[in-house]
Amino acid sequence: MTSGRKPRAACLIGWPAAHSRSPLIHHYWLRRLGIEGGYVIEAVPPDEFQDFVFRLSLRGFVGANVTLPHKERALALSKPDERARAVGAANTLWYADGELCSTNTDVEGFINNLDACSGGWDKAEDALVLGAGGASRAVVFGLLERGIRRIHLANRTMERARALADQFGASVLPVAWDAVPDLLPRAGLLVNTTSLGMHGQPPLEIDVGRLPSGAVVADLVYVPLETPLLAAAQARGLGTADGLGMLLHQAVRGFELWFGQRPEVTAELRAVVEADLTNT
Ligand code: ATR
């Protein structure tokens, strides 16, 4: 006999409905853990977003991921945790005691992926972060939470690096883009959050030979899976953490909040998503 209860479901809210790997990831975990549940993409235009979110539960959803262009609105319409507030954007919504809460799972996605790929990375005294957009905010906040003492923040548009540094305090030091080569010898951790090196974008010109031995290099770009930056770092024997790993790790918390079990990022899941990336 069935209970008659509808299976739990979550959704990804975006506009337009971009192709996303999130359904693949969550369906994989649901199947693996034997949980009856669903995860669908909902294309919601900006002027309907508020209404959609207010009726999320009435529509049968236990929570949602939120992507462009709704992440800032999602923050304003929910009770954000410290991470979502610091990043200024929410990407995950769920209910706690009937209240709609939000977080930004890019922070833990970045940090947990580094822990999984390059344990000991947090011994770095100086980190060098390239880029000052939304992804950079999540990275910088994660590094601060983890106690990294100095974060040099380089961006093509220096003003954006300054604004981000002002928000995060004295540990974050804005630097000019052309100062990057001089900073490399002291960067125990190098993180690319820019779109440089992404398929169809200009290359990222970094001489990894200038990094200290034992440095760790992280790239948020995952198309291509192995960016020239990561390939060069690996060829030099440095630790690396890639963008696909971050994508998989950032999905863990939402699943746990919606479906009640913490899923694992396994080699098999990675292979499933890699195959999908290679085929599209
Ligand atoms: P996201 O939210 O993914 O971080 P974003 O806010 O558009 O996206 O930020 C993109 C980042 O890539 C920015 O740091 C951007 O630099 P600017 O602030 O100067 O625009 C950086 N970026 C994009 N194209 C670049 C290029 N050709 N050279 C250097 N940096 C570039």
Side-chain angles (χ1 to χ4, degrees), residues 130-136 155-157 160 177 193-196 201-202:
L130 310 176
S136 173
N155 197 47
R156 174 181 60 178
T157 313
R160 281 185 98 190
W177 189 251
T193 77
T194 75
S195 47
L196 294 174
Q201 298 292 317

Side-chain angles (χ1 to χ4, degrees), residues 8-272:
R8 297 178 147 245
C11 62
L12 169 66
I13 314 172
W15 184 260
H19 185 64
S20 161
R21 270 78 201 184
S22 293
L24 187 63
I25 297 168
H26 290 293
H27 286 151
Y28 172 87
W29 281 329
L30 286 167
R31 214 170 42 245
R32 272 268 157 223
L33 295 169
I35 297 173
E36 203 192 342
Y39 186 97
V40 295
I41 293 185
E42 292 279 355
V44 179
D47 60 345
E48 290 172 23
F49 181 70
Q50 176 167 322
D51 181 72
F52 191 95
V53 166
F54 284 163
R55 291 164 190 264
L56 195 61
S57 148
L58 281 175
R59 287 173 192 273
F61 293 116
V62 293
N65 280 136
V66 179
T67 186
L68 297 175
H70 301 310
K71 289 189 195 182
E72 286 82 13
R73 292 279 294 147
L75 180 83
L77 296 173
S78 59
K79 183 180 155 201
D81 70 359
E82 200 194 339
R83 288 178 172 173
R85 267 200 307 272
V87 178
N91 71 352
T92 302
L93 299 170
W94 77 98
Y95 292 96
D97 298 325
E99 189 169 22
L100 189 66
C101 302
S102 67
T103 186
N104 189 307
T105 62
D106 285 339
V107 178
E108 68 209 68
F110 173 67
I111 297 294
N112 292 351
N113 184 42
L114 267 175
D115 282 339
C117 299
S118 298
W121 64 270
D122 55 349
K123 290 197 195 81
E125 297 227 336
D126 288 77
L128 172 57
V129 177
L130 310 176
S136 173
R137 295 166 86 91
V139 164
V140 168
F141 187 67
L143 295 179
L144 288 172
E145 267 192 341
R146 200 51 182 261
I148 298 299
R149 296 245 295 275
R150 273 183 307 272
I151 302 168
H152 306 272
L153 186 64
N155 197 47
R156 174 181 60 178
T157 313
M158 176 86 177
E159 216 24 69
R160 281 185 98 190
R162 270 204 205 98
L164 207 150
D166 282 351
Q167 183 201 336
F168 284 121
S171 299
V172 184
L173 308 160
V175 292
W177 189 251
D178 56 13
V180 167
D182 291 339
L183 280 165
L184 290 173
R186 69 164 99 147
L189 174 70
L190 171 69
V191 187
N192 175 42
T193 77
T194 75
S195 47
L196 294 174
M198 191 185 289
H199 203 75
Q201 298 292 317
L204 174 59
E205 311 278 3
I206 295 282
D207 179 5
V208 295
R210 293 177 66 84
L211 287 166
S213 60
V216 171
V217 178
D219 198 339
L220 271 50
V221 170
Y222 61 88
V223 182
L225 270 172
E226 188 182 61
T227 61
L229 174 68
L230 292 181
Q234 259 160 26
R236 225 205 105 183
L238 302 179
T240 57
D242 71 9
L244 177 57
M246 174 172 167
L247 178 77
L248 300 176
H249 279 279
Q250 71 75 33
V252 168
R253 180 103 190 283
F255 188 96
E256 182 182 24
L257 289 163
W258 307 321
F259 301 113
Q261 282 189 58
R262 190 166 177 87
E264 270 183 56
V265 174
T266 58
E268 187 185 62
L269 169 63
R270 205 187 141 90
V272 167

